[in-house]
Structure formats: C-alpha cells, structure tokens
Amino acid sequence: MPRTFPVSLPSPARIRGWRLAFVVLLGTRFVGCAGALDLQRVGAVHLDPGSHIDPIAPTRPEPSGGLFGSESFDPAVLSPHAVLGTAVGSRLAHPHEIVACFRRWAGESARVQIADYATCYEGRPLVRVVITSEANLARIDAIKSSLARLADPRGLTDADADADADADAERLAQATPLVAWLGYSIHGDEVSGADASLLVGYELAAGRGGAVESLLDNVLVIVDPVMNPDGRARMVGMVEQSRGAVGNLDYASMHRGWWPRGRGNHYLFDMNRDWFAGVAPETRGRWAAHLEWHPQLVVDAHEMGATDTYLFYPLSDPKNTHISPSVFAWQHRFAAKHAEAFDARGWAYYTREWADGWYPGYTDSWASLNGSIGMLYEQASTRGQALKRPSGRVVTYAETVLAQAMSSASDLTTLANNRVEVLRDYYRGRKETLGSKRAFVFVPGRAPDRERDFLAAMMRQGAEVFEASDAFRARGVVASMGGSKSHRSFPKGTYVILDGQPQGRLVRAVLGFDPRIPDDMVRREREDLERRGRSKLYDVT
C-alpha cells in the first residue's frame, strides 16, 4: 500500500483551479500529481490512523493450530498476549513478566505446578514449572520414586541378579511417564528462548485436542523459563534504552547493547560453563532440581550470530567419550524429526558443523553425562527487533521466538512418541557404570577450604563420596600427574569417589586425569589450525 505525504500547495494562481494536490510515493519513485479529485467517484476510503502497519513490525508468532495442533484453548487460562498486553515476540518480555505468566497459569490450570528453586544475586526468583496431565500430578510422588529407581538401578528388585533387575526396570518403563526439562536463555542476552517459553508453556497449560493431551499423559514437562534473570534484565534494559523510535535493520546497531551485555549473571559469570563447578547459586539450585526429577530430555535454548540461521544437535566432534552411546543415537533421531518440522515450514537450519560436547560443564553435556538426552538449539539473534540479513531478507524477532518454540514442540513430541524405549535406554546407561571397581582417591590436608568446596560440589551433583575410617592399601595406582605403582598405602581420612556408581559417567568426565581426543579428530584439528587458523573445539577447555 503506498504511503501518502501532504505537501504545501502553490498559490491559487499557479494551481489554476485545482482543488486538491498531493504527492504519492511508492518507495522513492514519484508517481504523480492529481487535481480536482472527486473522492466519492474514485471510491476513496478514509484511513484509520490505528490501521497503519509498519512493514518491519513483528507479526504475531503463534502458528495456526498451535505448536501441538491444539483445536482450542481453555478460556479459564489467560493467554500470554493478555497478560503481557502485547503479542509474544513483539517486544522483549522482562524476567518478572515471564515468571508472572507462569505463576498465573499455575493458579488457572489444573495441569500446572510452580516452585522456586533458587534466588539469583539480585534477588530475583528462578522457577521450575511442572506441566503434565491432572492424572500425573495426582501421582507425582510415585512417578518421582519410579524415576529415581531407574536412575539408581541398585534399588531395583534383587539388583544383584541382572534378569530380575531388568524385569523390574521394564515394568517401570512401561508404566512411568518421562521427564523433559526445557531450559531457556542461560545466557541472558540470548533472548528468544525465554520468550519462547511463554508460547510452549501456554499451550501445554491450556491446549485442548490435537497432540497436547496425549503428550501430557506421557511426559512431565518442566519449564525453566528464565535461567539467567539478572543477565536478561540487564540486556532488556540496554535494548530499551538504546533502540530508536524507528526500527534499525542493521544487525550491528546499538540495540545489541554494550559491554558487559547480559551473557553472564550478576557477577558476569558464564553459567553455561558452571555445571560441574557450581560457583553460582543458580547452578546449585538447578543441580538439586535435576537430581529430584531425573529428566530424560534436557533442552538448552541459545542464540548465535545475527547473520546465521539455526543450529541444533546432534553435536559435532569431539564428543565426550564418557557419554552413553545411546544418547548420541537419540540425538540423531530427535534431529531427524526436528529437521522434518523445519522443512515443512521452509526454514533454514544446519547441524553438526560446530558445538561439541567435549567440555562437561555445558548444560547439555552435563545433562548427557547424567543420562539425559541433551539437545542444544542456536537461533540467529535479532536482540528483540527486526534486522536485515545479508541476503536482503528482513527477519523479525517474532520469527526467532517461534523457531525456538517449534524446536521444543518437536523434541517433546518425539520424546512422548518413544516413551518406553527412551526409559529403557536411560536405565541401561545408568546401569552400565556399576560394574567398575576403580576409584578416585584423594588425600586431604593441603588446602582444607578448597577440598571442602570440591567434595561439596561433587556430592551436590549426586556423586557418592566416602571417607576411609582406617588406613588402606590399593593396587594398580595411577598418579594424577603421571606414573603408576603396583601398590600404594593411603592414610585414614582419605576420600574415595567410586567410579562404579550411577553417576559414574559424570565422575569419570570431571575427575579423569588424561582425557584423550580420538586420533582422527586430532588430525583434523591440526589441519584446520594450520590451513585455516581456526579450531573445531568450541571452547579453550
């Protein structure tokens, strides 16, 4: 629709009887000048100023039929549009607004429970929201007990007899719902994930018909909507303060914020590197929540460079060798369905080109070492407004939010459709570590404060730590800095962390002395470094 701009008319003598003159602009091309127009004759309609649509304004992101094909929505559950006063994705939602939506839904929907699991340095609550069927909520303690037994196979019937333990595990797998943990925006300046949590949470809380009700019979969905509220609040403030009244399509414009942006928490600590160290209170709260619920799927929603498209797992090389092979196999199966969902909408994406799981302190790698299927999303960031890609295509923020939400919906659907098989593999992955007789042995005394923090961190992650009540002698001892002895004596008070425990994969990944990248990966890494000056490893770790 062309825009009209009024202009100053020349003197009556010069317009020679024209009663109306205006300039019509289409882009920058002059179209014409009209005189003596009869508006009724040409069918002109008076424009309502409120009907003007800015061509780069975000559109409403909700897809037709919802994320799960819901046929209707419970009218008792207020939509996020109604709570926020604007469509999801039309602007950046503040952390307190996102939490307020979920608290409201917990009061309006019988499917939703909410609880705080931590408080960040600036006093904001971090919440975990459980969304599932009413029937599952009514037996929530029994479900958690069943999942705990699968997570620790030693608690199954006659666990020393493999056949009996496996039969007991099979009964639990047939009868127990899965748990999916959806974590959004652990980097506070990677904003679309937290807004996407509103689309996912609302339809799970209020959707009727379609696939949503069957999904909630099979899955307990735990939404962690704002993993870094301090960082997000800082970033939202920067965007609001620096953006102009007229949208700027330049991806490098001021709306990106300025240092330190919002990646880290209050102390600028990157919490997506903190999962085995547990420096931040947010991380320690998530440790406890994950050990309480034992999720089988953990989603980690991020953003990347503005001119990119969309990346999702399976991860690239080098893969952490302590992660169960079944987790890698499931990543491929989830990715295939994820690709189908994006292909159906003509959305660009890629996979496996970068983002490895070598370092055990990422959200997804830590979760995978716990037996979950860790899935990473990386959406090209627009920082809450529209931008123009090098191709010339204008991308709105609402589109990025919708892509994040559709990714979560795809993975939840795949999880629900493979409930029993996923639970079987989860049990096997936890059981496989139990046969080892090795142990990590730690003699205390040099730095008591650091020793105490180290032991506390390991135990908070579910690792079992023992203290020797007497001196003992061990065989086949390997020193942390190299060398080995056939026998070595250790004093009373020595700490022992067994390799053969349910958390054995995490223990090995964190405490192993000399992790080795496979030789073929080392060759490729050296070629990339020498020929292109770049590394395939995502982090210096």
Side-chain angles (χ1 to χ4, degrees):
M1 176 179 180
R3 295 191 186 183
T4 62
F5 297 83
V7 298
S8 299
L9 297 179
S11 66
R14 294 191 61 187
I15 64 174
R16 297 181 179 177
W18 289 4
R19 289 177 291 171
L20 177 67
F22 58 88
V23 175
V24 182
L25 299 180
L26 184 59
T28 57
R29 184 170 65 89
F30 176 79
V31 176
C33 185
L37 272 180
D38 184 333
L39 296 180
Q40 290 184 347
R41 241 179 112 184
V42 298
V45 178
H46 189 276
L47 283 179
D48 175 5
S51 69
H52 174 69
I53 300 175
D54 190 295
I56 64 170
T59 55
R60 186 175 177 85
E62 291 91 339
S64 175
L67 300 167
F68 303 96
S70 296
E71 298 164 3
S72 62
F73 291 84
D74 185 349
V77 182
L78 204 61
S79 73
H81 191 159
V83 179
L84 298 175
T86 184
V88 175
S90 62
R91 64 171 175 85
L92 295 176
H94 289 257
H96 71 271
E97 293 179 305
I98 296 173
V99 172
C101 282
F102 282 97
R103 292 202 192 281
R104 186 177 190 110
W105 296 335
E108 295 172 342
S109 173
R111 300 173 180 173
V112 182
Q113 288 184 354
I114 188 170
D116 295 5
Y117 70 78
T119 302
C120 60
Y121 285 111
E122 294 177 16
R124 296 181 177 91
L126 288 96
V127 299
R128 61 107 183 106
V129 186
V130 180
I131 311 176
T132 189
S133 67
E134 293 181 54
N136 285 339
L137 284 180
R139 62 184 187 111
I140 196 76
D141 290 338
I143 292 172
K144 290 166 67 174
S145 175
S146 295
L147 291 170
R149 293 175 68 197
L150 290 171
D152 185 354
R154 297 170 303 182
L156 295 175
T157 302
D158 193 12
D160 290 333
D162 281 348
D164 290 344
D166 290 347
D168 201 6
E170 179 64 20
R171 286 191 291 272
L172 291 174
Q174 293 289 340
T176 307
L178 297 143
V179 171
W181 185 285
L182 308 182
Y184 296 101
S185 301
I186 195 169
H187 293 147
D189 56 359
E190 299 176 5
V191 288
S192 59
D195 282 307
S197 74
L198 295 173
L199 295 181
V200 176
Y202 172 63
E203 186 163 356
L204 292 174
R208 293 171 168 174
V212 67
E213 293 175 65
S214 173
L215 185 148
L216 293 175
D217 285 336
N218 288 282
V219 182
L220 278 71
V221 182
I222 301 181
V223 182
D224 189 353
V226 190
M227 297 178 75
N228 182 359
D230 289 351
R232 182 178 178 88
R234 187 166 64 248
M235 191 64 202
V236 172
M238 290 181 188
V239 170
E240 292 177 344
Q241 292 165 26
S242 60
R243 71 189 303 174
V246 177
N248 186 345
L249 296 178
D250 180 8
Y251 73 90
S253 64
M254 283 294 291
H255 76 273
R256 296 172 63 212
W258 51 88
W259 189 90
R261 295 191 175 91
R263 183 178 180 87
N265 66 358
H266 172 81
Y267 286 107
L268 311 186
F269 195 86
D270 187 336
M271 293 185 292
N272 200 39
R273 306 297 184 275
D274 191 38
W275 278 88
F276 78 81
V279 172
E282 298 95 327
T283 305
R284 294 194 291 269
R286 280 190 278 270
W287 279 348
H290 277 249
L291 292 176
E292 177 185 0
W293 293 95
H294 302 291
Q296 283 69 56
L297 170 69
V298 172
V299 161
D300 186 24
H302 286 261
E303 287 185 339
M304 56 182 171
T307 59
D308 215 318
T309 56
Y310 199 102
L311 168 79
F312 52 82
Y313 271 2
L315 45 70
S316 68
D317 290 329
K319 301 177 180 68
N320 193 302
T321 56
H322 299 295
I323 295 173
S324 171
S326 68
V327 169
F328 298 135
W330 279 111
Q331 285 181 346
H332 281 269
R333 291 177 64 173
F334 275 68
K337 293 299 182 182
H338 201 159
E340 287 180 13
F342 273 43
D343 287 342
R345 293 161 178 81
W347 293 349
Y349 63 90
Y350 63 98
T351 184
R352 286 172 288 184
E353 291 190 21
W354 61 275
D356 60 83
W358 181 254
Y359 174 59
Y362 302 136
T363 305
D364 60 272
S365 58
W366 184 89
S368 295
L369 288 163
N370 278 265
S372 307
I373 303 164
M375 292 297 291
L376 175 80
Y377 311 151
E378 291 277 358
Q379 162 68 55
S381 177
T382 73
R383 292 293 194 273
Q385 67 177 40
L387 61 79
K388 183 182 288 186
R389 286 186 176 154
S391 65
R393 182 174 180 270
V394 174
V395 181
T396 67
Y397 179 56
E399 291 178 60
T400 70
V401 172
L402 178 57
Q404 294 272 25
M406 289 300 300
S407 297
S408 294
S410 172
D411 283 350
L412 286 176
T413 301
T414 303
L415 186 71
N417 291 341
N418 295 278
R419 179 181 62 82
V420 174
E421 193 175 355
V422 169
L423 281 172
R424 285 173 183 154
D425 281 347
Y426 177 77
Y427 158 73
R428 290 169 187 151
R430 303 281 292 186
K431 179 184 176 183
E432 284 168 356
T433 65
L434 298 180
S436 174
K437 301 299 182 182
R438 298 183 304 169
F440 292 93
V441 180
F442 174 58
V443 180
R446 291 189 176 183
D449 290 344
R450 294 171 69 181
E451 292 163 6
R452 182 185 64 249
D453 290 344
F454 159 69
L455 294 173
M458 293 305 299
M459 289 187 285
R460 283 173 173 164
Q461 294 173 76
E464 297 172 349
V465 180
F466 300 87
E467 182 179 3
S469 55
D470 294 299
F472 65 94
R473 189 171 174 83
R475 301 192 308 270
V477 177
V478 178
S480 60
M481 299 304 292
S484 61
K485 292 184 177 181
S486 59
H487 292 83
R488 179 174 170 177
S489 297
F490 292 93
K492 175 182 177 180
T494 295
Y495 296 109
V496 178
I497 303 178
L498 296 176
D499 187 56
Q501 58 172 296
Q503 285 291 69
R505 296 184 186 278
L506 181 66
V507 167
R508 296 170 196 172
V510 173
L511 301 183
F513 298 155
D514 190 16
R516 293 296 182 102
I517 294 175
D519 289 346
D520 61 336
M521 179 63 207
V522 173
R523 282 192 295 271
R524 280 181 283 151
E525 175 75 358
R526 181 169 181 174
E527 289 173 1
D528 276 351
L529 286 170
E530 293 185 352
R531 294 179 179 178
R532 302 177 181 87
R534 67 188 186 192
S535 172
K536 293 288 287 185
L537 280 166
Y538 183 68
D539 255 324
V540 292
T541 50

